[in-house]
Amino acid sequence: MEVRRRFNQDLCAWINVDANDHHAIAKVQAEFQISDEMLEYSLDKHERARVEYDSMEKTLLVIFNVPHLEKTNNHYETSPMTFMIKDHAMLTIVSQKSDYVVSMMENILRREPNQSTASLLFHTLFLVADSYFPLIEEVNSERVRLNTKLRQKTTNKNLLQLSDLEIGLVYLVSATKQNVTLLEQIKAQSIFPNFSDTEKEQLEDAAIEAKQAEEMTKLASEILDQLSSTYNYLLNNNLNDTMKILTIWSLLLTIPTIVTGFFGMNMPLPFEHSEAGWIISLVISVGLSLWMILVLWRRIK
């Protein structure tokens, strides 16, 4: 599906194309003379955030990591979205997971219809970077909830949910880090001096917002890693305590078995003709058990 919209008193155009609409993509490629290399970058679902500027064709390509608003396998993920500027036209290629950005851009143009394509781009990148914050806050709230549950009882279900949060933060940390690098790289492109002071300021605002998102996701990830390490340590410690108790019990139960087995042999033994022989064997077992308990207690202490 292809949607076209003009703005800035019809001086600029915005063309939005669905990544699955191959016919519309081929049409736009022919119209704007987009190179196969740039188009390959744009359609790659696993492409990292990147910026390319073709000085010959005067085409700026920006691939920005966009967060998904819905969870996948109990965690949030991201996907790349393509923005391309050539002359006075902007091309966006969206997927099913990133099509909500189109509504953002429409709202931007509704509020400020007389802006350039670069301004539209930087405004959009600012809002996309800002969309990470609600997801991070949700992850932090979920972490607090799980921490409360795990303090009460450490269950496999809660630990798996904690693992899902860690996986989701890996995606968010990587995506925000790449976005920050991308916005800094735009300043190194040969097109940067052509931007107006207002556009440069908007780019700086987007970079600051992206940096804040990176710092928040990194902090949330570090806290979650520390929490996960703590519970792993507690689980290992509980396992060691359990094994210690089982070992002590096995040693204590071995003593009566040895004593009774010794007196059960078919050969002359002390106290075999005494009526109190079983009591004597019991006393010996209890005495050795108490001695073993004392030794183990001193050892453990």
Side-chain angles (χ1 to χ4, degrees), residues 8-253:
N8 195 12
Q9 300 178 0
D10 290 339
L11 297 177
C12 302
W14 167 37
I15 302 95
N16 180 65
V17 181
D18 191 323
N20 296 319
D21 191 342
H22 301 292
H23 175 72
I25 291 175
K27 178 182 176 183
V28 170
Q29 181 185 15
E31 179 180 355
F32 290 93
Q33 298 179 351
I34 302 172
S35 66
D36 292 335
E37 182 181 10
M38 280 196 172
L39 188 64
E40 184 179 351
Y41 292 150
S42 303
L43 300 179
D44 188 354
K45 297 179 181 179
H46 306 289
E47 184 63 49
R48 294 169 57 88
R50 66 184 300 147
V51 56
E52 298 279 348
Y53 180 66
D54 188 339
S55 57
M56 297 295 294
E57 297 293 336
K58 299 187 182 302
T59 304
L60 175 66
L61 171 68
V62 174
I63 300 179
F64 204 73
N65 288 320
V66 175
H68 299 172
L69 298 184
E70 296 181 357
K71 291 183 177 180
T72 302
N73 297 327
N74 296 322
H75 61 264
Y76 288 109
E77 296 184 3
T78 64
S79 60
M81 178 176 173
T82 298
F83 301 86
M84 196 176 300
I85 294 179
K86 184 174 183 180
D87 298 328
H88 296 288
M90 170 183 282
L91 170 66
T92 55
I93 301 178
V94 298
S95 63
Q96 183 179 0
K97 299 291 186 178
S98 61
D99 59 357
Y100 71 92
V101 179
V102 175
S103 299
M104 289 184 178
M105 299 178 69
E106 290 175 346
N107 291 333
I108 293 171
L109 289 177
R110 194 176 297 114
R111 293 194 304 267
E112 300 180 36
N114 297 324
Q115 60 182 306
S116 64
T117 52
S119 292
L120 177 59
L121 171 63
F122 300 144
H123 273 144
T124 304
L125 297 185
F126 178 92
L127 292 180
V128 171
D130 189 64
S131 64
Y132 281 90
F133 294 113
L135 306 187
I136 301 169
E137 292 174 357
E138 182 179 338
V139 169
N140 288 334
S141 299
E142 186 70 10
R143 186 200 71 236
V144 173
R145 184 186 68 82
L146 285 175
N147 187 29
T148 302
K149 283 188 173 183
L150 287 168
R151 284 178 178 270
Q152 297 173 354
K153 186 176 182 180
T154 305
T155 63
N156 291 336
K157 179 181 179 181
N158 291 334
L159 289 174
L160 288 174
Q161 291 179 355
L162 193 66
S163 176
D164 289 336
L165 289 182
E166 289 183 288
I167 294 173
L169 278 177
V170 169
Y171 284 101
L172 296 181
V173 169
S174 177
T176 53
K177 183 177 180 180
Q178 292 177 27
N179 287 345
V180 170
T181 303
L182 177 148
L183 291 170
E184 293 298 326
Q185 289 177 346
I186 292 179
K187 300 176 183 179
Q189 302 297 316
S190 58
I191 192 178
F192 180 73
N194 297 332
F195 293 146
S196 65
D197 292 339
T198 300
E199 293 167 346
K200 291 178 181 178
E201 183 179 350
Q202 292 166 349
L203 173 60
E204 186 64 26
D205 291 341
I208 293 173
E209 196 74 3
K211 185 64 177 178
Q212 290 177 346
E214 180 195 20
E215 291 175 351
M216 282 192 64
T217 52
K218 186 177 179 180
L219 177 61
S221 180
E222 290 176 352
I223 295 174
L224 199 56
D225 287 342
Q226 182 63 39
L227 185 63
S228 179
S229 298
T230 300
Y231 282 111
N232 284 334
Y233 173 79
L234 289 175
L235 289 174
N236 291 332
N237 190 50
N238 291 338
L239 178 61
N240 291 337
D241 290 342
T242 301
M243 295 303 298
K244 187 185 300 181
I245 293 173
L246 292 176
T247 302
I248 292 173
W249 272 109
S250 64
L251 291 173
L252 294 177
L253 293 176

